[in-house]
Amino acid sequence: MYASHEDIGYDLEDDPKAKKMLKPHPDIDGGWAWMMILSSFFVHILIMGSQMALGVLNVEWLEEFHQSRGLTAWVSSLSMGITLIVGPFIGLFINTCGCRQTAIIGGLVNSLGWVLSAYAANVQTLFVTFGVAAGLGSGMAYLPAVVMVGRYFQKRRALAQGLSTTGTGFGTFLMTVLLKYLCAEYGWRNAMFIQGAVSLNLCVCGALMRPLSPGKVENCPRGEEPSAVPAYSAESVKSGPLGVTEEQDRQPENEENVCDLQAQECQGQTRPRKNVCAFRVLKTVSQLTVRVQKGFGDWYSGYFGTASLFTNRMFVAFVFWALFAYSSFVIPFIHLPEIVSLYNLSEQNDVFPLTSIIAIVHIFGKVILGAVADLPCISVWNVFLIANFTLVFSIFLLPLMHTYASLAVICALIGFSSGYFSLMPVVTEDLVGTEHLANAYGIIICANGISALLGPPFAGWIFDITKKYDFSFYICGLLYMVGILFLLIQPCVQMIEQSRRKYTDGAHV
């Protein structure tokens, strides 16, 4: 029912025969790959963890600005939604500038958004400073963290993604405690200012995202970060098109040597030195222009060209599922602090917050589901679907629970089943291949972002009308179920179409 990476992962490759000439890179599944996990882990702590802890700040904003719950919830949902919605456009940055530069710039923008939000005079200002600015910076740092782990791991991709994304659970627990402490001691404005300083560590995480050095590796993705070069023979280098390519590659080195010699010969002469500097500037601009054009070409072909990702019908079904999936996970994090107060459970929740229960069990869920999915006899697809059904079941049960113990059990179930998020990059890569992972996963998280953007305000509006959060969970759970069923139906439709084609071809023969 589900095609594996080996079956369909290279449908969009230009030259499948070239893969036979490639050998494993020493950093694949080891070496610096573990630093990629560490970097991605801290990115998830600083971005996804802090966003899942925004329920603390949401309560502060309600008390400060005295706006409706639906309007105030837009601040958190904008930040979460834009972080994911900008995914396709961040894919363009990655193709052009690389993961390292994109993540560092994202860290700076995210920190600036937190700091500016500390001076917000109203909720509308937070829409811009926190929702848009901090959300954009988060998106620029988040997608490279996921893509780099996918590039550095092949055999243990699910486990690697699971380990790196456990940062979301750790971050939710740590950031919830940190923001509560900072708000109590210094107020929410100073808390956001301090959090902006903490977010500068995203730049450090981005600096660790070292591109795979030119070597011999399987599944070389396009873009600025080549992970492999073909192992050409000596004869092929001496003559033929490959020889021409090597000569072209050597030209920049020769030009650099000429420039250095000219600079040495022209010491003390102002005009020749200016000419050499002008030549180098023009050369740099030319190289940058070519790089931007190539990055945009790869990005455009992945979305709109002949190799468009949307020609893969199973991937389209996956995008449709993502449109409804994330809201069911985000709504509890944003509104649970207020739900427990409505049930008069604040004292018990202060001892051990329900969101912390979700976060802690979420850590184990990602690691366990990732390890199980990597077993040879287990299908990643089946693990992914079972976890989705469990999460939907938990969302339907949540409104029926009114005691702290029962809510804790359901929150633990939500935390464990939501561990399937670590499998999303793996499933995406199996559908489209490593080469198109950045663009494809950008589309998936964009669909998740739309879900996260609309979910919390929708729940707030439902509460303003009905004075209950129950109906919002039922509606979101129902839409989520529709998305899962669409995932199940699509492979069956493809099998029926293939059988019909075989029958038609046999009839013509």
Side-chain angles (χ1 to χ4, degrees), residues 269-290:
Q269 300 179 10
T270 306
R271 188 172 180 180
R273 181 172 294 179
K274 289 183 178 179
N275 292 337
V276 171
C277 293
F279 173 77
R280 288 180 174 176
V281 170
L282 290 174
K283 179 184 175 184
T284 302
V285 172
S286 176
Q287 291 176 345
L288 181 61
T289 302
V290 172

Side-chain angles (χ1 to χ4, degrees), residues 13 18 53 80 84 100 107 124 158 293 296 381 391 465 483 502:
E13 294 283 351
M80 293 181 180
L84 304 176
R100 173 181 281 174
Q124 288 75 13
Q293 289 177 346
F296 181 80
W381 178 251
L391 181 56
I465 296 172
K502 292 180 181 180

Side-chain angles (χ1 to χ4, degrees), residues 179-242:
L179 287 176
K180 275 188 174 183
Y181 173 78
L182 292 177
C183 288
E185 292 292 326
Y186 307 106
W188 70 269
R189 294 185 184 274
N190 291 327
M192 297 195 75
F193 192 93
I194 296 172
Q195 182 62 31
V198 174
S199 297
L200 286 174
N201 287 287
L202 289 171
C203 299
V204 180
C205 297
L208 293 175
M209 297 178 189
R210 186 178 69 187
L212 280 166
S213 59
K216 301 174 183 179
V217 65
E218 189 179 0
N219 301 338
C220 173
R222 291 181 183 177
E224 90 305 340
E225 298 172 350
S227 58
V229 292
Y232 300 122
S233 63
E235 292 77 14
S236 63
V237 173
K238 292 179 181 179
S239 61
L242 299 178

Side-chain angles (χ1 to χ4, degrees), residues 16-97:
K17 296 180 180 179
K19 292 192 293 292
K20 297 180 180 179
M21 306 172 66
L22 305 178
K23 296 181 180 179
H25 191 285
D27 280 335
I28 293 295
D29 291 312
W32 196 257
W34 298 108
M35 292 302 296
M36 289 299 100
I37 291 182
L38 181 64
S39 174
S40 181
F41 174 79
F42 280 105
V43 169
H44 281 83
I45 286 180
L46 295 170
I47 293 179
M48 307 309 291
S50 62
Q51 288 186 347
M52 293 303 175
L54 289 179
V56 176
L57 291 174
N58 189 64
V59 175
E60 299 289 338
W61 295 330
L62 285 171
E63 295 179 357
E64 175 78 15
F65 302 117
H66 303 288
Q67 297 292 334
S68 67
R69 290 170 176 82
L71 182 65
T72 307
W74 270 106
V75 180
S76 302
S77 62
L78 269 175
S79 179
M80 293 181 180
I82 291 179
T83 297
L84 304 176
I85 288 175
V86 297
F89 305 100
I90 303 305
L92 174 60
F93 276 93
I94 291 175
N95 289 338
T96 303
C97 304

